[in-house]
Amino acid sequence: MIIAFSVTPLGTGVDVGRAVAEAVRVVRASGLPNHTDAMFTTLEGEWDEVMSVVKQATDAVLAAAPRCSLVLKADIRPGVTNGMTSKVETVERYLAEG
C-alpha cells in the first residue's frame, strides 16, 4: 500500500518546520520507501508497518505541539510492490510519447 500523509503541528505558531522534521526523521528511520515534498510524505509498505510509522510520526509532532492535524490518503493494492516508482514511471512513459 502507498500512503500519502501530512502531519501539521497546531498551537505552536507559524514556524512548524522543526516538529515536521521530527516526523520526517521517523519516516526515514523506518527503512520503508518514502518521499517527502512540500505538502506530503509518501510511504510504501504493508498495512501494519505503514500505519505504525504514521502513528510514530504523529506522536513525534505531538511531543512538540499540543495538537496535531493528520491528513492521510491511501492506495491499497494487495500484492503490489514498488508502486511509488512504477506509477511515476508509467506517467513519464506516456509523457515521452508526446
Side-chain angles (χ1 to χ4, degrees):
M1 89 184 305
I2 300 171
I3 296 277
F5 75 104
S6 172
V7 286
T8 305
L10 302 173
T12 60
V14 295
D15 185 12
V16 298
R18 186 173 306 279
V20 171
E22 291 307 315
V24 173
R25 189 181 316 277
V26 167
V27 172
R28 291 182 179 174
S30 75
L32 296 174
N34 66 83
H35 170 79
T36 299
D37 61 35
M39 296 290 294
F40 287 94
T41 294
T42 305
L43 182 62
E44 185 170 14
E46 296 299 319
W47 180 279
D48 289 340
E49 61 190 0
V50 168
M51 290 303 187
S52 175
V53 173
V54 170
K55 182 181 183 328
Q56 291 172 50
T58 303
D59 288 344
V61 168
L62 286 170
R67 188 174 177 189
C68 177
S69 171
L70 170 65
V71 175
L72 186 141
K73 180 177 180 179
D75 180 357
I76 304 164
R77 292 180 68 190
V80 173
T81 58
N82 201 30
M84 281 177 52
T85 303
S86 65
K87 289 174 98 174
V88 174
E89 287 172 350
T90 298
V91 171
E92 291 294 339
R93 187 177 67 247
Y94 285 118
L95 287 169
E97 292 174 2

